[in-house]
Amino acid sequence: MTDRFRCYSRTIASSPAEISTAVAWLKELAVRHGMGEDSLFRLDVCASEVLDNVAEHAYHGENRDVHLHLFLDQNTSTLTIEDSGAPFDPEMHVPQPLPRSLIEAPIGGLGLSLVQKFASSLLYERIGERNRLMLRIGGRPLMPRNDRRNGRHPAAYPLERSDGTRVASEQRRGRERRVPD
């Protein structure tokens, strides 16, 4: 494995040929970075399933742009996929129950379950008219941006205590000191 991080970006059309080429590109980058076989397999499955879902469900077979961003850092890969389809949060998707046998298994419908199983963490955001899905293989879990964390609102300044008194700048500690009066 390399000890330096690498960032790559690419915009593809949502056609089957472009998706296959993009998945091969992602795998090649991960191999060059020294990603292990297990992580490489997980990245392959997740990228293939998400890109196929974007093409089929978000764009309904139309060839439209999908933006890919890959961040590789030691034993971690973070893939960000952006599309302009209808809002869809895969984290809220309730997986179908697994069939009892392969004969009973329907064709399709299990892709998101595979992504949820193989990705170490997922983070979905709707930004303007775009869907952004970040999936991480290995490493620490993805965290929402600070303004969405724990459902709290961003801090308002000047800072006030719960009893309504204002916190003077010399009374602030840690991160509080970074904000001027």
Side-chain angles (χ1 to χ4, degrees), residues 7-76:
C7 298
Y8 304 92
S9 294
R10 185 174 188 169
T11 299
I12 65 166
S14 58
S15 69
E18 286 271 337
I19 290 171
S20 294
T21 302
V23 171
W25 173 73
L26 292 168
K27 286 173 52 179
E28 177 187 330
L29 295 172
V31 166
R32 277 195 283 165
H33 192 73
M35 184 178 283
E37 288 295 318
D38 179 60
S39 296
L40 187 62
F41 173 76
R42 293 168 53 199
L43 177 64
D44 181 10
V45 169
C46 291
S48 298
E49 290 297 336
V50 171
L51 290 171
D52 286 343
N53 282 348
V54 168
E56 184 177 343
H57 301 292
Y59 291 157
H60 306 288
E62 295 177 25
N63 281 338
R64 293 173 54 193
D65 285 348
V66 180
H67 303 282
L68 305 175
H69 308 280
L70 180 65
F71 179 82
L72 297 167
D73 183 21
Q74 294 183 350
N75 61 348
T76 303

Side-chain angles (χ1 to χ4, degrees), residues 107-173:
I107 295 174
L110 297 175
L112 282 178
S113 298
L114 289 172
V115 171
Q116 290 169 341
K117 178 179 179 177
F118 288 124
S120 302
S121 63
L122 296 170
L123 179 63
Y124 170 81
E125 296 177 304
R126 181 73 179 180
I127 300 173
E129 297 296 314
R130 301 192 61 76
N131 294 305
R132 176 183 289 163
L133 178 65
M134 296 174 66
L135 58 93
R136 178 162 288 163
I137 307 295
R140 297 174 131 179
L142 292 163
M143 295 294 295
R145 292 189 324 231
N146 286 338
D147 61 341
R148 290 187 21 187
R149 221 174 261 168
N150 299 327
R152 288 188 235 148
H153 299 287
Y157 299 98
L159 296 175
E160 292 184 2
R161 292 189 180 91
S162 59
D163 64 2
T165 59
R166 186 171 173 192
V167 178
S169 60
E170 63 274 0
Q171 295 173 321
R172 296 180 190 166
R173 288 183 233 114

